[in-house]
Amino acid sequence: MIRIRNLAVPFTETASLEDLAAKRLMLPPQQIAGVVIVRKAVDARRYHGAPIQFVYILDVRLEPKLEKKVLQKLRRDRNVEAAPESEAAAPLPKLHLERRPVVVGFGPAGMFAALTLARQGCEPLVLERGHDVDTRHEDIQRFWRGGALDPQSNVQFGEGGAGTFSDGKLTTRINDPHMKDVIEAFVAAGAPEEIRYLHKPHIGTDILRDVVRNIRKEIIRLGGTVRFGAQVTDLELGEEDVEAVIVNDEERIETDVVFFGIGHSARDTYRMLLERGVAMEAKPFAMGVRIEHPQEFIDRAQYGEMVREAYRNYKHNNYLTYIFSSRDFTDVARKITALREVASLRERKLPVEEPLICFSGPGSDRYVELIGKLLRQRADALFCPGGNAGIVSLYALSLFNRQL
């Protein structure tokens, strides 16, 4: 395999990656046996008038003899090199424990602890104080509609943890080889394959609910057990080791291995652990300021004149509501400017007088007003490509007793 770094491709480019790789390596396209995307990012700096571009790292498969010739020919090109050999993950050794290990909490930490233990044949028991992801979704919807809070099943507590309802962003500053294992587990459970290579990957809340459910099923298939509505309220310690956990103040479960993956909001559990003399260490944290701008402002600043033209096309043709997100705006703007992919929407005469571009947050009066206007005019489609748009739309639709 040959690795091509820093391959800049204008967002308007229509050629295939195979053709682009062939051109970069100065080969006819038929000699490209395959292309794998290693990394993909967006460069919207428009430096010295350059177009907005995707920047790729590609691994290109060639016939072995040809690969050697290409590497020799381009040996002075610092962006072309032999692709590093990928090391196959060593299989996890089987462990034999006298008692089933207990995993407390079924957020990301608890989920992957349980999955790892299950793969090692340990048949872990997962105890989660909240509900399964489907029941939890209903509980959260009920709270958003009327304010009825379930203290054990909400945005903070329940299957998948708090991140399940914050769009499933996978941003991390950790550079650990096991990160690849985590990504592969997500993909195997139904996450889009693009999270393997996107610069800022995210799964999305709707898909993430299926992913979380599928990981739970895999743990159970491997011999584990997952219990919901099971809060660990006490811990029994011996002279050196843990002896048992107490669930819901009444059930005693013997174990000598307990993993606590309880996040930062289970203050009652932390208090209990402190009272039992469990050693704890304060974790450093950083504090920042969140500044929110309308999405239109952000898109104009990042994408410049291209966005203005796209917005003008929206207004001029008097069709569509499209809730923008920066994540995929380059593709969206190209389609809108060309007026091809959305032509059928105009034919359906969607009665929209202005583009719905409003990101002032859940419950925004302006947002609700605009969605109400669409419903009164019998619009039947909302496009929400990412970010908070879908969540805010669901909230606004619920106020008009409309379901998807």
Side-chain angles (χ1 to χ4, degrees), residues 131-150:
H131 295 161
D132 66 87
V133 70
D134 297 306
T135 306
R136 183 183 176 199
H137 174 68
E138 295 174 1
D139 294 335
I140 293 172
Q141 290 292 321
R142 190 178 305 111
F143 171 72
W144 283 346
R145 285 194 298 265
L149 174 67
D150 184 334

Side-chain angles (χ1 to χ4, degrees), residues 93-325:
K94 296 296 181 181
L95 296 180
H96 301 284
L97 303 177
E98 293 184 6
R99 299 172 178 173
R100 297 181 75 180
V102 171
V103 175
V104 182
F106 203 50
M111 185 181 304
F112 280 94
L115 182 60
T116 302
L117 288 167
R119 287 172 174 173
Q120 292 183 278
C122 297
E123 300 182 349
L125 170 62
V126 179
L127 303 174
E128 166 58 50
R129 70 194 293 172
H131 295 161
D132 66 87
V133 70
D134 297 306
T135 306
R136 183 183 176 199
H137 174 68
E138 295 174 1
D139 294 335
I140 293 172
Q141 290 292 321
R142 190 178 305 111
F143 171 72
W144 283 346
R145 285 194 298 265
L149 174 67
D150 184 334
Q152 304 293 5
S153 180
N154 46 61
V155 171
Q156 294 290 347
F157 299 128
E159 183 176 23
T164 305
F165 289 87
S166 65
D167 209 31
K169 297 175 180 66
L170 301 179
T171 304
T172 177
R173 295 181 179 88
I174 297 173
N175 186 16
D176 188 287
H178 290 295
M179 290 301 299
K180 182 178 179 181
D181 299 332
V182 173
I183 294 296
E184 291 303 321
F186 279 135
V187 172
E193 294 189 7
E194 65 181 15
I195 67 173
R196 289 176 171 143
Y197 56 79
L198 287 180
H199 176 55
K200 293 184 178 180
H202 87 279
I203 297 176
T205 293
D206 291 343
I207 298 176
L208 187 59
R209 284 161 50 193
D210 293 331
V211 170
V212 167
R213 189 187 307 108
N214 289 337
I215 292 177
R216 182 225 308 164
K217 291 179 179 178
E218 177 65 6
I219 293 170
I220 295 172
R221 186 188 71 81
L222 293 170
T225 302
V226 181
R227 290 176 53 183
F228 298 105
Q231 180 181 356
V232 172
T233 51
D234 207 348
L235 188 69
E236 292 186 10
L237 300 175
E239 293 183 2
E240 296 182 356
D241 300 312
V242 63
E243 294 184 349
V245 295
I246 308 300
V247 179
N248 297 334
D249 293 317
E250 56 185 23
E251 181 183 0
R252 183 177 185 272
I253 300 175
E254 293 186 354
T255 184
D256 47 23
V257 177
V258 181
F259 177 91
F260 282 89
I262 55 177
H264 60 70
S265 297
R267 297 178 180 85
D268 48 359
T269 305
Y270 283 114
R271 192 176 299 113
M272 178 272 291
L273 293 172
L274 183 63
E275 292 172 352
R276 294 293 172 266
V278 175
M280 287 186 281
E281 182 178 336
K283 179 181 178 181
F285 68 93
M287 181 177 293
V289 177
R290 177 170 177 166
I291 302 175
E292 296 188 0
H293 296 293
Q295 190 68 39
E296 180 180 355
F297 175 84
I298 295 172
D299 287 333
R300 287 182 187 274
Q302 186 170 16
Y303 298 116
E305 184 58 33
M306 181 192 70
V307 172
R308 297 186 184 92
E309 180 63 25
Y311 286 168
R312 281 196 292 270
N313 283 334
Y314 266 166
K315 203 90 171 184
H316 175 72
N317 289 281
N318 191 33
Y319 65 85
L320 181 68
T321 55
Y322 202 116
I323 305 171
F324 289 109
S325 72

Side-chain angles (χ1 to χ4, degrees), residues 316-319 339 342-350:
H316 175 72
N317 289 281
N318 191 33
Y319 65 85
L339 301 179
V342 293
S344 61
L345 294 174
R346 185 180 186 187
E347 293 171 1
R348 293 171 64 183
K349 299 180 180 178
L350 288 181

Side-chain angles (χ1 to χ4, degrees), residues 46-118:
R46 306 188 303 281
Y47 187 65
H48 286 321
I52 296 172
Q53 356 183 63
F54 295 115
V55 181
Y56 289 93
I57 298 177
L58 300 178
D59 280 354
V60 184
R61 189 179 301 109
L62 303 176
E63 190 271 331
K65 291 183 179 179
L66 179 61
E67 180 178 315
K68 292 181 180 179
K69 291 181 180 179
V70 172
L71 288 173
Q72 175 63 22
K73 181 173 63 175
L74 300 177
R75 62 187 181 279
R76 299 185 185 281
D77 191 329
R78 64 181 181 179
N79 288 318
V80 177
E81 61 187 14
E85 294 289 335
S86 58
E87 297 183 5
L92 293 171
K94 296 296 181 181
L95 296 180
H96 301 284
L97 303 177
E98 293 184 6
R99 299 172 178 173
R100 297 181 75 180
V102 171
V103 175
V104 182
F106 203 50
M111 185 181 304
F112 280 94
L115 182 60
T116 302
L117 288 167

